[in-house]
PDB file of all heavy atoms in Angstrom:
ATOM      1  N   PRO A   1     165.696  -7.481 -28.226  1.00 98.00           N
ATOM      2  CA  PRO A   1     166.509  -7.628 -27.096  1.00 98.00           C
ATOM      3  C   PRO A   1     166.359  -6.516 -26.120  1.00 98.00           C
ATOM      4  O   PRO A   1     166.304  -6.533 -24.951  1.00 98.00           O
ATOM      5  CB  PRO A   1     167.947  -7.701 -27.523  1.00 98.00           C
ATOM      6  CG  PRO A   1     167.882  -7.143 -28.989  1.00 98.00           C
ATOM      7  CD  PRO A   1     166.576  -7.507 -29.477  1.00 98.00           C
ATOM      8  N   ILE A   2     166.159  -5.257 -26.693  1.00 98.00           N
ATOM      9  CA  ILE A   2     166.048  -4.042 -25.841  1.00 98.00           C
ATOM     10  C   ILE A   2     164.790  -4.151 -24.935  1.00 98.00           C
ATOM     11  O   ILE A   2     164.714  -3.753 -23.800  1.00 98.00           O
ATOM     12  CB  ILE A   2     166.077  -2.787 -26.589  1.00 98.00           C
ATOM     13  CG1 ILE A   2     167.482  -2.513 -27.202  1.00 98.00           C
ATOM     14  CG2 ILE A   2     165.528  -1.606 -25.949  1.00 98.00           C
ATOM     15  CD1 ILE A   2     167.697  -1.444 -28.106  1.00 98.00           C
ATOM     16  N   ASN A   3     163.713  -4.560 -25.651  1.00 98.00           N
ATOM     17  CA  ASN A   3     162.480  -4.827 -24.838  1.00 98.00           C
ATOM     18  C   ASN A   3     162.579  -5.850 -23.655  1.00 98.00           C
ATOM     19  O   ASN A   3     161.841  -5.882 -22.712  1.00 98.00           O
ATOM     20  CB  ASN A   3     161.252  -4.977 -25.766  1.00 98.00           C
ATOM     21  CG  ASN A   3     160.809  -3.713 -26.375  1.00 98.00           C
ATOM     22  OD1 ASN A   3     160.983  -2.646 -25.880  1.00 98.00           O
ATOM     23  ND2 ASN A   3     160.336  -3.876 -27.635  1.00 98.00           N
ATOM     24  N   VAL A   4     163.347  -6.920 -23.923  1.00 98.00           N
ATOM     25  CA  VAL A   4     163.620  -7.887 -22.950  1.00 98.00           C
ATOM     26  C   VAL A   4     164.434  -7.245 -21.803  1.00 98.00           C
ATOM     27  O   VAL A   4     164.145  -7.359 -20.592  1.00 98.00           O
ATOM     28  CB  VAL A   4     164.413  -9.093 -23.469  1.00 98.00           C
ATOM     29  CG1 VAL A   4     164.757 -10.106 -22.286  1.00 98.00           C
ATOM     30  CG2 VAL A   4     163.589  -9.778 -24.469  1.00 98.00           C
ATOM     31  N   PHE A   5     165.453  -6.429 -22.086  1.00 98.00           N
ATOM     32  CA  PHE A   5     166.272  -5.732 -21.084  1.00 98.00           C
ATOM     33  C   PHE A   5     165.344  -4.784 -20.314  1.00 98.00           C
ATOM     34  O   PHE A   5     165.631  -4.698 -18.970  1.00 98.00           O
ATOM     35  CB  PHE A   5     167.362  -4.931 -21.695  1.00 98.00           C
ATOM     36  CG  PHE A   5     168.532  -5.797 -22.198  1.00 98.00           C
ATOM     37  CD1 PHE A   5     169.174  -5.656 -23.436  1.00 98.00           C
ATOM     38  CD2 PHE A   5     169.229  -6.679 -21.290  1.00 98.00           C
ATOM     39  CE1 PHE A   5     170.249  -6.393 -23.826  1.00 98.00           C
ATOM     40  CE2 PHE A   5     170.299  -7.385 -21.690  1.00 98.00           C
ATOM     41  CZ  PHE A   5     170.825  -7.329 -22.889  1.00 98.00           C
ATOM     42  N   LYS A   6     164.430  -4.217 -20.911  1.00 98.00           N
ATOM     43  CA  LYS A   6     163.586  -3.152 -20.241  1.00 98.00           C
ATOM     44  C   LYS A   6     162.954  -3.809 -18.960  1.00 98.00           C
ATOM     45  O   LYS A   6     162.825  -3.140 -18.021  1.00 98.00           O
ATOM     46  CB  LYS A   6     162.426  -2.795 -21.226  1.00 98.00           C
ATOM     47  CG  LYS A   6     161.545  -1.737 -20.693  1.00 98.00           C
ATOM     48  CD  LYS A   6     160.304  -1.366 -21.627  1.00 98.00           C
ATOM     49  CE  LYS A   6     159.541  -2.616 -21.895  1.00 98.00           C
ATOM     50  NZ  LYS A   6     158.266  -2.216 -22.804  1.00 98.00           N
ATOM     51  N   ASP A   7     162.590  -5.035 -18.938  1.00 98.00           N
ATOM     52  CA  ASP A   7     161.832  -5.716 -17.927  1.00 98.00           C
ATOM     53  C   ASP A   7     162.785  -6.388 -16.939  1.00 98.00           C
ATOM     54  O   ASP A   7     162.269  -7.261 -16.141  1.00 98.00           O
ATOM     55  CB  ASP A   7     160.843  -6.547 -18.472  1.00 98.00           C
ATOM     56  CG  ASP A   7     159.584  -5.848 -19.237  1.00 98.00           C
ATOM     57  OD1 ASP A   7     159.376  -4.720 -18.854  1.00 98.00           O
ATOM     58  OD2 ASP A   7     159.111  -6.387 -20.150  1.00 98.00           O
ATOM     59  N   THR A   8     164.034  -6.046 -16.916  1.00 98.00           N
ATOM     60  CA  THR A   8     165.014  -6.637 -16.033  1.00 98.00           C
ATOM     61  C   THR A   8     165.607  -5.537 -15.152  1.00 98.00           C
ATOM     62  O   THR A   8     165.241  -4.433 -15.210  1.00 98.00           O
ATOM     63  CB  THR A   8     166.161  -7.461 -16.831  1.00 98.00           C
ATOM     64  OG1 THR A   8     166.930  -6.443 -17.485  1.00 98.00           O
ATOM     65  CG2 THR A   8     165.536  -8.279 -17.862  1.00 98.00           C
ATOM     66  N   GLU A   9     166.696  -5.903 -14.538  1.00 98.00           N
ATOM     67  CA  GLU A   9     167.331  -4.914 -13.583  1.00 98.00           C
ATOM     68  C   GLU A   9     168.497  -4.226 -14.416  1.00 98.00           C
ATOM     69  O   GLU A   9     169.373  -3.508 -13.711  1.00 98.00           O
ATOM     70  CB  GLU A   9     167.920  -5.651 -12.478  1.00 98.00           C
ATOM     71  CG  GLU A   9     167.033  -6.158 -11.383  1.00 98.00           C
ATOM     72  CD  GLU A   9     166.332  -5.053 -10.664  1.00 98.00           C
ATOM     73  OE1 GLU A   9     167.021  -4.118 -10.245  1.00 98.00           O
ATOM     74  OE2 GLU A   9     165.031  -5.016 -10.704  1.00 98.00           O
ATOM     75  N   VAL A  10     168.500  -4.205 -15.695  1.00 98.00           N
ATOM     76  CA  VAL A  10     169.427  -3.509 -16.541  1.00 98.00           C
ATOM     77  C   VAL A  10     169.229  -2.019 -16.296  1.00 98.00           C
ATOM     78  O   VAL A  10     168.140  -1.493 -16.342  1.00 98.00           O
ATOM     79  CB  VAL A  10     169.371  -3.857 -18.013  1.00 98.00           C
ATOM     80  CG1 VAL A  10     169.815  -2.810 -18.879  1.00 98.00           C
ATOM     81  CG2 VAL A  10     170.023  -5.162 -18.317  1.00 98.00           C
ATOM     82  N   ASP A  11     170.431  -1.373 -16.177  1.00 98.00           N
ATOM     83  CA  ASP A  11     170.430   0.137 -15.799  1.00 98.00           C
ATOM     84  C   ASP A  11     170.499   0.863 -17.144  1.00 98.00           C
ATOM     85  O   ASP A  11     169.964   2.061 -17.129  1.00 98.00           O
ATOM     86  CB  ASP A  11     171.591   0.523 -14.943  1.00 98.00           C
ATOM     87  CG  ASP A  11     171.452  -0.128 -13.561  1.00 98.00           C
ATOM     88  OD1 ASP A  11     170.361   0.097 -12.882  1.00 98.00           O
ATOM     89  OD2 ASP A  11     172.363  -0.906 -13.099  1.00 98.00           O
ATOM     90  N   LEU A  12     171.182   0.336 -18.140  1.00 98.00           N
ATOM     91  CA  LEU A  12     171.387   0.909 -19.497  1.00 98.00           C
ATOM     92  C   LEU A  12     171.564  -0.076 -20.391  1.00 98.00           C
ATOM     93  O   LEU A  12     171.882  -1.222 -20.056  1.00 98.00           O
ATOM     94  CB  LEU A  12     172.446   2.110 -19.471  1.00 98.00           C
ATOM     95  CG  LEU A  12     173.793   1.539 -19.357  1.00 98.00           C
ATOM     96  CD1 LEU A  12     174.741   2.728 -19.850  1.00 98.00           C
ATOM     97  CD2 LEU A  12     174.202   1.203 -17.913  1.00 98.00           C
ATOM     98  N   VAL A  13     171.579   0.181 -21.746  1.00 98.00           N
ATOM     99  CA  VAL A  13     172.071  -0.658 -22.703  1.00 98.00           C
ATOM    100  C   VAL A  13     173.223   0.048 -23.484  1.00 98.00           C
ATOM    101  O   VAL A  13     173.373   1.176 -23.652  1.00 98.00           O
ATOM    102  CB  VAL A  13     170.982  -1.011 -23.814  1.00 98.00           C
ATOM    103  CG1 VAL A  13     169.907  -1.803 -23.221  1.00 98.00           C
ATOM    104  CG2 VAL A  13     170.471   0.232 -24.472  1.00 98.00           C
ATOM    105  N   THR A  14     174.218  -0.867 -24.014  1.00 98.00           N
ATOM    106  CA  THR A  14     175.453  -0.452 -24.643  1.00 98.00           C
ATOM    107  C   THR A  14     175.527  -1.256 -25.855  1.00 98.00           C
ATOM    108  O   THR A  14     175.597  -2.491 -25.873  1.00 98.00           O
ATOM    109  CB  THR A  14     176.641  -0.628 -23.783  1.00 98.00           C
ATOM    110  OG1 THR A  14     176.598   0.091 -22.501  1.00 98.00           O
ATOM    111  CG2 THR A  14     177.874  -0.075 -24.428  1.00 98.00           C
ATOM    112  N   ALA A  15     175.668  -0.564 -27.064  1.00 98.00           N
ATOM    113  CA  ALA A  15     175.728  -1.180 -28.333  1.00 98.00           C
ATOM    114  C   ALA A  15     177.189  -1.157 -28.770  1.00 98.00           C
ATOM    115  O   ALA A  15     177.746  -0.052 -28.853  1.00 98.00           O
ATOM    116  CB  ALA A  15     174.876  -0.517 -29.341  1.00 98.00           C
ATOM    117  N   PHE A  16     177.830  -2.279 -29.036  1.00 98.00           N
ATOM    118  CA  PHE A  16     179.153  -2.377 -29.166  1.00 98.00           C
ATOM    119  C   PHE A  16     179.481  -2.719 -30.732  1.00 98.00           C
ATOM    120  O   PHE A  16     178.604  -3.253 -31.514  1.00 98.00           O
ATOM    121  CB  PHE A  16     179.807  -3.597 -28.526  1.00 98.00           C
ATOM    122  CG  PHE A  16     179.989  -3.299 -27.025  1.00 98.00           C
ATOM    123  CD1 PHE A  16     179.003  -3.590 -26.240  1.00 98.00           C
ATOM    124  CD2 PHE A  16     181.098  -2.629 -26.525  1.00 98.00           C
ATOM    125  CE1 PHE A  16     179.122  -3.477 -24.803  1.00 98.00           C
ATOM    126  CE2 PHE A  16     181.235  -2.528 -25.177  1.00 98.00           C
ATOM    127  CZ  PHE A  16     180.181  -2.842 -24.258  1.00 98.00           C
ATOM    128  N   THR A  17     180.680  -2.333 -31.252  1.00 97.00           N
ATOM    129  CA  THR A  17     181.203  -2.651 -32.578  1.00 97.00           C
ATOM    130  C   THR A  17     180.258  -2.287 -33.690  1.00 97.00           C
ATOM    131  O   THR A  17     180.127  -2.992 -34.559  1.00 97.00           O
ATOM    132  CB  THR A  17     181.706  -4.032 -32.720  1.00 97.00           C
ATOM    133  OG1 THR A  17     180.699  -5.003 -32.376  1.00 97.00           O
ATOM    134  CG2 THR A  17     182.927  -4.349 -31.845  1.00 97.00           C
ATOM    135  N   LEU A  18     179.661  -1.178 -33.625  1.00 97.00           N
ATOM    136  CA  LEU A  18     178.803  -0.749 -34.628  1.00 97.00           C
ATOM    137  C   LEU A  18     179.737  -0.048 -35.705  1.00 97.00           C
ATOM    138  O   LEU A  18     180.714   0.518 -35.490  1.00 97.00           O
ATOM    139  CB  LEU A  18     177.677   0.254 -34.235  1.00 97.00           C
ATOM    140  CG  LEU A  18     176.763  -0.257 -33.131  1.00 97.00           C
ATOM    141  CD1 LEU A  18     175.747   0.822 -32.842  1.00 97.00           C
ATOM    142  CD2 LEU A  18     176.037  -1.524 -33.546  1.00 97.00           C
ATOM    143  N   ASN A  19     179.311  -0.213 -37.006  1.00 96.00           N
ATOM    144  CA  ASN A  19     180.149   0.444 -38.019  1.00 96.00           C
ATOM    145  C   ASN A  19     179.516   1.211 -39.215  1.00 96.00           C
ATOM    146  O   ASN A  19     180.016   1.596 -40.136  1.00 96.00           O
ATOM    147  CB  ASN A  19     180.909  -0.838 -38.677  1.00 96.00           C
ATOM    148  CG  ASN A  19     179.975  -1.910 -39.206  1.00 96.00           C
ATOM    149  OD1 ASN A  19     178.837  -1.671 -39.720  1.00 96.00           O
ATOM    150  ND2 ASN A  19     180.449  -3.139 -39.034  1.00 96.00           N
ATOM    151  N   TYR A  20     178.227   1.615 -38.819  1.00 96.00           N
ATOM    152  CA  TYR A  20     177.584   2.632 -39.617  1.00 96.00           C
ATOM    153  C   TYR A  20     176.538   3.317 -38.863  1.00 96.00           C
ATOM    154  O   TYR A  20     175.942   2.875 -37.843  1.00 96.00           O
ATOM    155  CB  TYR A  20     177.007   2.016 -40.987  1.00 96.00           C
ATOM    156  CG  TYR A  20     175.868   1.017 -40.806  1.00 96.00           C
ATOM    157  CD1 TYR A  20     174.511   1.370 -41.003  1.00 96.00           C
ATOM    158  CD2 TYR A  20     176.102  -0.328 -40.497  1.00 96.00           C
ATOM    159  CE1 TYR A  20     173.492   0.541 -40.918  1.00 96.00           C
ATOM    160  CE2 TYR A  20     175.060  -1.215 -40.329  1.00 96.00           C
ATOM    161  CZ  TYR A  20     173.737  -0.803 -40.526  1.00 96.00           C
ATOM    162  OH  TYR A  20     172.711  -1.599 -40.453  1.00 96.00           O
ATOM    163  N   ALA A  21     176.251   4.579 -39.239  1.00 97.00           N
ATOM    164  CA  ALA A  21     175.216   5.438 -38.508  1.00 97.00           C
ATOM    165  C   ALA A  21     173.882   4.982 -38.423  1.00 97.00           C
ATOM    166  O   ALA A  21     173.310   5.039 -37.174  1.00 97.00           O
ATOM    167  CB  ALA A  21     175.278   6.866 -39.035  1.00 97.00           C
ATOM    168  N   GLU A  22     173.336   4.451 -39.433  1.00 98.00           N
ATOM    169  CA  GLU A  22     171.870   4.058 -39.241  1.00 98.00           C
ATOM    170  C   GLU A  22     171.511   2.966 -38.266  1.00 98.00           C
ATOM    171  O   GLU A  22     170.474   3.175 -37.566  1.00 98.00           O
ATOM    172  CB  GLU A  22     171.317   3.682 -40.692  1.00 98.00           C
ATOM    173  CG  GLU A  22     171.371   4.695 -41.644  1.00 98.00           C
ATOM    174  CD  GLU A  22     172.671   4.959 -42.332  1.00 98.00           C
ATOM    175  OE1 GLU A  22     173.606   4.337 -41.980  1.00 98.00           O
ATOM    176  OE2 GLU A  22     172.637   5.891 -43.326  1.00 98.00           O
ATOM    177  N   GLU A  23     172.395   2.045 -38.034  1.00 98.00           N
ATOM    178  CA  GLU A  23     172.174   1.007 -37.026  1.00 98.00           C
ATOM    179  C   GLU A  23     172.238   1.644 -35.628  1.00 98.00           C
ATOM    180  O   GLU A  23     171.405   1.385 -34.689  1.00 98.00           O
ATOM    181  CB  GLU A  23     173.113  -0.086 -37.169  1.00 98.00           C
ATOM    182  CG  GLU A  23     172.682  -1.253 -36.120  1.00 98.00           C
ATOM    183  CD  GLU A  23     173.423  -2.614 -36.522  1.00 98.00           C
ATOM    184  OE1 GLU A  23     174.529  -2.561 -37.153  1.00 98.00           O
ATOM    185  OE2 GLU A  23     172.825  -3.584 -36.209  1.00 98.00           O
ATOM    186  N   ALA A  24     173.118   2.562 -35.457  1.00 98.00           N
ATOM    187  CA  ALA A  24     173.306   3.319 -34.221  1.00 98.00           C
ATOM    188  C   ALA A  24     172.074   4.211 -33.886  1.00 98.00           C
ATOM    189  O   ALA A  24     171.572   4.212 -32.755  1.00 98.00           O
ATOM    190  CB  ALA A  24     174.536   4.175 -34.194  1.00 98.00           C
ATOM    191  N   VAL A  25     171.495   4.802 -34.935  1.00 98.00           N
ATOM    192  CA  VAL A  25     170.295   5.603 -34.742  1.00 98.00           C
ATOM    193  C   VAL A  25     169.138   4.757 -34.361  1.00 98.00           C
ATOM    194  O   VAL A  25     168.422   5.113 -33.444  1.00 98.00           O
ATOM    195  CB  VAL A  25     170.011   6.340 -36.132  1.00 98.00           C
ATOM    196  CG1 VAL A  25     168.691   6.959 -35.881  1.00 98.00           C
ATOM    197  CG2 VAL A  25     171.110   7.370 -36.379  1.00 98.00           C
ATOM    198  N   GLY A  26     169.024   3.657 -35.039  1.00 98.00           N
ATOM    199  CA  GLY A  26     167.865   2.700 -34.705  1.00 98.00           C
ATOM    200  C   GLY A  26     167.966   2.139 -33.302  1.00 98.00           C
ATOM    201  O   GLY A  26     166.893   2.114 -32.651  1.00 98.00           O
ATOM    202  N   ILE A  27     169.209   1.806 -32.878  1.00 98.00           N
ATOM    203  CA  ILE A  27     169.336   1.366 -31.571  1.00 98.00           C
ATOM    204  C   ILE A  27     169.007   2.423 -30.458  1.00 98.00           C
ATOM    205  O   ILE A  27     168.270   2.167 -29.447  1.00 98.00           O
ATOM    206  CB  ILE A  27     170.707   0.737 -31.297  1.00 98.00           C
ATOM    207  CG1 ILE A  27     170.910  -0.572 -32.003  1.00 98.00           C
ATOM    208  CG2 ILE A  27     171.052   0.505 -29.789  1.00 98.00           C
ATOM    209  CD1 ILE A  27     172.306  -1.014 -32.086  1.00 98.00           C
ATOM    210  N   ALA A  28     169.540   3.659 -30.673  1.00 98.00           N
ATOM    211  CA  ALA A  28     169.200   4.670 -29.856  1.00 98.00           C
ATOM    212  C   ALA A  28     167.728   5.070 -29.737  1.00 98.00           C
ATOM    213  O   ALA A  28     167.161   5.161 -28.714  1.00 98.00           O
ATOM    214  CB  ALA A  28     169.941   5.983 -30.221  1.00 98.00           C
ATOM    215  N   ARG A  29     166.974   5.000 -30.864  1.00 98.00           N
ATOM    216  CA  ARG A  29     165.563   5.185 -30.923  1.00 98.00           C
ATOM    217  C   ARG A  29     164.762   4.108 -30.136  1.00 98.00           C
ATOM    218  O   ARG A  29     163.852   4.321 -29.389  1.00 98.00           O
ATOM    219  CB  ARG A  29     165.063   5.348 -32.293  1.00 98.00           C
ATOM    220  CG  ARG A  29     165.576   6.638 -32.962  1.00 98.00           C
ATOM    221  CD  ARG A  29     165.152   6.696 -34.430  1.00 98.00           C
ATOM    222  NE  ARG A  29     165.400   7.916 -35.101  1.00 98.00           N
ATOM    223  CZ  ARG A  29     165.336   8.155 -36.376  1.00 98.00           C
ATOM    224  NH1 ARG A  29     164.824   7.169 -37.268  1.00 98.00           N
ATOM    225  NH2 ARG A  29     165.636   9.300 -36.847  1.00 98.00           N
ATOM    226  N   ALA A  30     165.244   2.771 -30.350  1.00 98.00           N
ATOM    227  CA  ALA A  30     164.656   1.722 -29.671  1.00 98.00           C
ATOM    228  C   ALA A  30     164.798   1.764 -28.193  1.00 98.00           C
ATOM    229  O   ALA A  30     163.954   1.516 -27.406  1.00 98.00           O
ATOM    230  CB  ALA A  30     165.197   0.458 -30.161  1.00 98.00           C
ATOM    231  N   ALA A  31     166.003   2.142 -27.734  1.00 98.00           N
ATOM    232  CA  ALA A  31     166.177   2.378 -26.330  1.00 98.00           C
ATOM    233  C   ALA A  31     165.410   3.504 -25.758  1.00 98.00           C
ATOM    234  O   ALA A  31     164.759   3.353 -24.663  1.00 98.00           O
ATOM    235  CB  ALA A  31     167.682   2.680 -26.093  1.00 98.00           C
ATOM    236  N   ARG A  32     165.263   4.508 -26.399  1.00 98.00           N
ATOM    237  CA  ARG A  32     164.462   5.592 -26.005  1.00 98.00           C
ATOM    238  C   ARG A  32     162.929   5.215 -25.894  1.00 98.00           C
ATOM    239  O   ARG A  32     162.290   5.566 -24.929  1.00 98.00           O
ATOM    240  CB  ARG A  32     164.547   6.866 -26.934  1.00 98.00           C
ATOM    241  CG  ARG A  32     163.752   8.052 -26.515  1.00 98.00           C
ATOM    242  CD  ARG A  32     163.939   9.182 -27.439  1.00 98.00           C
ATOM    243  NE  ARG A  32     163.772   8.941 -28.872  1.00 98.00           N
ATOM    244  CZ  ARG A  32     164.197   9.708 -29.882  1.00 98.00           C
ATOM    245  NH1 ARG A  32     164.826  10.796 -29.562  1.00 98.00           N
ATOM    246  NH2 ARG A  32     164.104   9.394 -31.083  1.00 98.00           N
ATOM    247  N   ALA A  33     162.493   4.515 -26.806  1.00 98.00           N
ATOM    248  CA  ALA A  33     161.147   4.021 -26.735  1.00 98.00           C
ATOM    249  C   ALA A  33     160.908   3.124 -25.526  1.00 98.00           C
ATOM    250  O   ALA A  33     159.775   3.066 -24.879  1.00 98.00           O
ATOM    251  CB  ALA A  33     160.682   3.207 -28.085  1.00 98.00           C
ATOM    252  N   ALA A  34     161.984   2.458 -25.117  1.00 98.00           N
ATOM    253  CA  ALA A  34     161.935   1.397 -23.985  1.00 98.00           C
ATOM    254  C   ALA A  34     162.158   2.111 -22.730  1.00 98.00           C
ATOM    255  O   ALA A  34     161.965   1.573 -21.643  1.00 98.00           O
ATOM    256  CB  ALA A  34     162.825   0.270 -24.185  1.00 98.00           C
ATOM    257  N   GLY A  35     162.562   3.377 -22.697  1.00 98.00           N
ATOM    258  CA  GLY A  35     162.811   4.101 -21.545  1.00 98.00           C
ATOM    259  C   GLY A  35     164.188   3.804 -20.893  1.00 98.00           C
ATOM    260  O   GLY A  35     164.417   3.875 -19.733  1.00 98.00           O
ATOM    261  N   LEU A  36     165.095   3.249 -21.723  1.00 98.00           N
ATOM    262  CA  LEU A  36     166.471   2.858 -21.303  1.00 98.00           C
ATOM    263  C   LEU A  36     167.482   3.856 -21.763  1.00 98.00           C
ATOM    264  O   LEU A  36     167.543   4.122 -22.979  1.00 98.00           O
ATOM    265  CB  LEU A  36     166.819   1.464 -21.841  1.00 98.00           C
ATOM    266  CG  LEU A  36     166.193   0.254 -21.178  1.00 98.00           C
ATOM    267  CD1 LEU A  36     166.359  -1.029 -22.019  1.00 98.00           C
ATOM    268  CD2 LEU A  36     166.656   0.029 -19.896  1.00 98.00           C
ATOM    269  N   PRO A  37     168.479   4.284 -20.888  1.00 98.00           N
ATOM    270  CA  PRO A  37     169.568   4.929 -21.358  1.00 98.00           C
ATOM    271  C   PRO A  37     170.420   4.183 -22.241  1.00 98.00           C
ATOM    272  O   PRO A  37     170.419   2.926 -22.101  1.00 98.00           O
ATOM    273  CB  PRO A  37     170.313   5.263 -20.015  1.00 98.00           C
ATOM    274  CG  PRO A  37     169.271   5.027 -18.904  1.00 98.00           C
ATOM    275  CD  PRO A  37     168.383   4.098 -19.430  1.00 98.00           C
ATOM    276  N   ALA A  38     171.144   4.820 -23.215  1.00 98.00           N
ATOM    277  CA  ALA A  38     171.831   3.969 -24.107  1.00 98.00           C
ATOM    278  C   ALA A  38     173.191   4.714 -24.392  1.00 98.00           C
ATOM    279  O   ALA A  38     173.447   5.837 -24.416  1.00 98.00           O
ATOM    280  CB  ALA A  38     171.105   4.118 -25.601  1.00 98.00           C
ATOM    281  N   VAL A  39     174.161   3.635 -24.604  1.00 98.00           N
ATOM    282  CA  VAL A  39     175.614   4.082 -25.131  1.00 98.00           C
ATOM    283  C   VAL A  39     175.816   3.477 -26.334  1.00 98.00           C
ATOM    284  O   VAL A  39     175.454   2.300 -26.609  1.00 98.00           O
ATOM    285  CB  VAL A  39     176.597   3.559 -24.066  1.00 98.00           C
ATOM    286  CG1 VAL A  39     177.975   3.709 -24.472  1.00 98.00           C
ATOM    287  CG2 VAL A  39     176.397   4.282 -22.628  1.00 98.00           C
ATOM    288  N   ILE A  40     176.449   4.199 -27.222  1.00 98.00           N
ATOM    289  CA  ILE A  40     176.687   3.715 -28.622  1.00 98.00           C
ATOM    290  C   ILE A  40     178.269   3.610 -28.802  1.00 98.00           C
ATOM    291  O   ILE A  40     178.861   4.648 -28.575  1.00 98.00           O
ATOM    292  CB  ILE A  40     176.116   4.686 -29.739  1.00 98.00           C
ATOM    293  CG1 ILE A  40     174.648   4.850 -29.597  1.00 98.00           C
ATOM    294  CG2 ILE A  40     176.604   4.372 -31.052  1.00 98.00           C
ATOM    295  CD1 ILE A  40     173.810   3.485 -29.849  1.00 98.00           C
ATOM    296  N   SER A  41     178.664   2.506 -29.201  1.00 98.00           N
ATOM    297  CA  SER A  41     180.150   2.290 -29.534  1.00 98.00           C
ATOM    298  C   SER A  41     180.395   1.995 -30.981  1.00 98.00           C
ATOM    299  O   SER A  41     179.782   1.098 -31.429  1.00 98.00           O
ATOM    300  CB  SER A  41     180.683   1.244 -28.659  1.00 98.00           C
ATOM    301  OG  SER A  41     182.127   1.098 -28.756  1.00 98.00           O
ATOM    302  N   PHE A  42     181.352   2.634 -31.539  1.00 98.00           N
ATOM    303  CA  PHE A  42     181.788   2.408 -32.881  1.00 98.00           C
ATOM    304  C   PHE A  42     183.192   1.773 -32.908  1.00 98.00           C
ATOM    305  O   PHE A  42     183.960   2.079 -32.016  1.00 98.00           O
ATOM    306  CB  PHE A  42     181.831   3.627 -33.666  1.00 98.00           C
ATOM    307  CG  PHE A  42     180.523   4.252 -34.095  1.00 98.00           C
ATOM    308  CD1 PHE A  42     180.085   5.475 -33.425  1.00 98.00           C
ATOM    309  CD2 PHE A  42     179.597   3.618 -34.913  1.00 98.00           C
ATOM    310  CE1 PHE A  42     178.771   6.021 -33.541  1.00 98.00           C
ATOM    311  CE2 PHE A  42     178.387   4.201 -35.101  1.00 98.00           C
ATOM    312  CZ  PHE A  42     177.965   5.409 -34.517  1.00 98.00           C
ATOM    313  N   THR A  43     183.420   0.891 -33.811  1.00 97.00           N
ATOM    314  CA  THR A  43     184.800   0.347 -34.011  1.00 97.00           C
ATOM    315  C   THR A  43     185.387   1.211 -35.297  1.00 97.00           C
ATOM    316  O   THR A  43     184.654   1.620 -36.186  1.00 97.00           O
ATOM    317  CB  THR A  43     184.785  -1.056 -34.354  1.00 97.00           C
ATOM    318  OG1 THR A  43     186.110  -1.525 -34.377  1.00 97.00           O
ATOM    319  CG2 THR A  43     184.112  -1.532 -35.641  1.00 97.00           C
ATOM    320  N   VAL A  44     186.726   1.199 -35.340  1.00 96.00           N
ATOM    321  CA  VAL A  44     187.369   2.000 -36.421  1.00 96.00           C
ATOM    322  C   VAL A  44     188.463   1.068 -36.888  1.00 96.00           C
ATOM    323  O   VAL A  44     188.966   0.158 -36.271  1.00 96.00           O
ATOM    324  CB  VAL A  44     187.899   3.275 -35.941  1.00 96.00           C
ATOM    325  CG1 VAL A  44     186.763   4.270 -35.542  1.00 96.00           C
ATOM    326  CG2 VAL A  44     188.913   3.083 -34.735  1.00 96.00           C
ATOM    327  N   GLU A  45     188.913   1.421 -38.155  1.00 95.00           N
ATOM    328  CA  GLU A  45     190.064   0.650 -38.853  1.00 95.00           C
ATOM    329  C   GLU A  45     191.285   1.375 -38.363  1.00 95.00           C
ATOM    330  O   GLU A  45     191.400   2.321 -37.488  1.00 95.00           O
ATOM    331  CB  GLU A  45     189.851   0.781 -40.350  1.00 95.00           C
ATOM    332  CG  GLU A  45     188.710   0.128 -40.906  1.00 95.00           C
ATOM    333  CD  GLU A  45     188.746  -1.476 -40.701  1.00 95.00           C
ATOM    334  OE1 GLU A  45     189.820  -1.982 -40.401  1.00 95.00           O
ATOM    335  OE2 GLU A  45     187.649  -2.106 -40.872  1.00 95.00           O
ATOM    336  N   THR A  46     192.469   0.975 -39.070  1.00 93.00           N
ATOM    337  CA  THR A  46     193.826   1.344 -38.523  1.00 93.00           C
ATOM    338  C   THR A  46     194.004   2.973 -38.747  1.00 93.00           C
ATOM    339  O   THR A  46     194.840   3.519 -38.216  1.00 93.00           O
ATOM    340  CB  THR A  46     194.921   0.632 -39.315  1.00 93.00           C
ATOM    341  OG1 THR A  46     194.664   0.680 -40.699  1.00 93.00           O
ATOM    342  CG2 THR A  46     194.885  -0.867 -38.757  1.00 93.00           C
ATOM    343  N   ASP A  47     193.123   3.454 -39.678  1.00 93.00           N
ATOM    344  CA  ASP A  47     193.274   4.840 -39.943  1.00 93.00           C
ATOM    345  C   ASP A  47     192.305   5.778 -39.152  1.00 93.00           C
ATOM    346  O   ASP A  47     192.162   6.958 -39.356  1.00 93.00           O
ATOM    347  CB  ASP A  47     193.014   5.116 -41.512  1.00 93.00           C
ATOM    348  CG  ASP A  47     191.590   4.842 -41.961  1.00 93.00           C
ATOM    349  OD1 ASP A  47     190.862   4.211 -41.101  1.00 93.00           O
ATOM    350  OD2 ASP A  47     191.329   5.086 -43.129  1.00 93.00           O
TER     351      ASP A  47
END
């Protein structure tokens, strides 16, 4: 999906409801490879 976004008018990508670090790292790296700014969002439990 990031490479599809790369060839559109998207200004950045935002990854929502992530719940562990490795997926966030992978998304950030994929965005960097595509030349897209990236925002990473985590979800948390009641604590």
